[in-house]
Every structure is written in structure tokens, then in C-alpha cells.
Amino acid sequence: RGFPAWAELPGAEIEARRVADLHARHHPRASSTLLAGARASRPGLLTALKKPAGHLHLATHGWFDAAAGEETTESLRSGEISL
């Protein structure tokens, strides 16, 4: 079972930059990592998550397949599927 191909999410990079700016203003001592463009990928996220994070903001597509719900939940629990 494959996942649908996604186009770029309109406004995602603008949203991410605004959230990063707000975070910097409200938490000036905290560092942040903005993943945009080619860096906004699974490998980019996994690399960024190696550092401890107090906050995480994701702008993503959503998709729900009710028929796969139980199968996916079981696969996540068993470790068959992971990030």
C-alpha cells in the first residue's frame, strides 16, 4: 500500500518562518531549526530531532484511510512502522 504523491503545501514555508520568528521573540534564549525547501524532508527532520526540543511545529498534509486504521496502529505498536 503506497501513500499518495503530495504537491507542495501552499504557504507552509511562510507559516514555518512566522512560527520561527514568534518562537525567537518569545523564547530568545532557545535555539531553533527551520526546515524548509529541500531540508523539509524525513532525513532532515530525523537529523533535527537528534537535538532535544522543547517545541515542535509541523505543517503537513493530512490523510486518513479508515480501512487501514487498525492495520497501521498495530504496525506502529509492533515497531513494524516507524518514523
Side-chain angles (χ1 to χ4, degrees):
R1 177 181 289 237
F3 292 100
W6 301 108
E8 286 189 19
L9 189 60
E13 186 169 347
I14 293 168
E15 176 184 336
R17 291 188 187 286
R18 287 181 179 164
V19 169
D21 289 344
L22 282 170
H23 184 267
R25 274 189 256 144
H26 291 279
H27 305 282
R29 294 182 185 171
S31 66
S32 65
T33 302
L34 175 63
L35 302 177
R39 292 186 63 213
S41 62
R42 182 177 186 267
L45 177 61
L46 293 175
T47 298
L49 288 175
K50 290 179 182 177
K51 297 186 301 185
H55 301 93
L56 175 65
H57 176 83
L58 297 173
T60 69
H61 289 280
W63 176 55
F64 178 74
D65 180 353
E70 280 299 312
E71 178 183 327
T72 302
T73 301
E74 248 342 280
S75 295
L76 285 167
R77 274 193 202 120
S78 70
E80 183 181 333
I81 297 175
S82 65
L83 283 178

